[in-house]
Amino acid sequence: VMRWIMPFFVACSTFGAVNGGIFASSRLFFVGARNGHMPKSMALINIKHLTPIPCLILLCLITIGLICSSDVYILINFTSFVESLFITMSVGGLLYLRWKRPDLERPIKVNLILPILFFLICGFL
């Protein structure tokens, strides 16, 4: 009789998480554009609602593109691969800077074994 309650609440939870993620991502794009890391047009903001409209439109287009996939496992593999790729590149950049510029001031400095191990694990994934 109540078989629909759990799937309904899972759908609500998923919708809320995706909604928050999209709004947080649009703010990250906005800040990146303000700092010169993305096109300046992404730094435009709606004065009335204080929302980064160009960033939301870009994320909407990306989301529509991902929805067009008919297989959810393709989406899971794609997002996992992209996330692992960017994490690997970030840790690789950290290791590169520790090697080329060891004199830079760092707020947190950990033993090199941890980033190297993390880099190898991410590279394996």
Side-chain angles (χ1 to χ4, degrees):
V1 174
M2 302 281 238
R3 291 182 293 185
W4 59 272
I5 288 180
M6 189 56 92
F8 175 74
F9 285 121
V10 168
C12 289
S13 174
T14 304
F15 177 76
V18 169
N19 187 31
I22 287 174
F23 283 120
S25 297
S26 67
R27 298 287 178 176
L28 290 174
F29 286 3
F30 170 72
V31 170
R34 283 182 56 187
N35 290 334
H37 302 296
M38 298 187 82
K40 290 287 183 191
S41 61
M42 302 289 276
L44 299 174
I45 195 164
N46 184 328
I47 300 298
K48 183 178 178 185
H49 301 289
L50 299 176
T51 55
I53 298 295
C55 302
L56 288 171
I57 291 171
L58 174 68
L59 285 171
C60 177
L61 294 174
I62 291 171
T63 304
I64 289 171
L66 291 174
I67 287 176
C68 291
S69 174
S70 61
D71 189 8
V72 72
Y73 294 110
I74 292 173
L75 289 176
I76 291 170
N77 286 335
F78 175 73
T79 55
S80 299
F81 172 74
V82 169
E83 183 178 3
S84 293
L85 177 69
F86 280 101
I87 289 173
T88 304
M89 289 179 6
S90 299
V91 175
L94 174 135
L95 291 171
Y96 178 78
L97 286 175
R98 288 279 299 261
W99 177 50
K100 286 289 190 181
R101 310 272 308 268
D103 55 335
L104 285 178
E105 181 181 335
R106 292 173 177 85
I108 299 172
K109 191 170 183 178
V110 297
N111 191 350
L112 268 178
I113 293 172
L114 291 174
I116 290 172
L117 182 65
F118 190 77
F119 181 76
L120 292 174
I121 291 171
C122 285
F124 176 73
L125 291 176

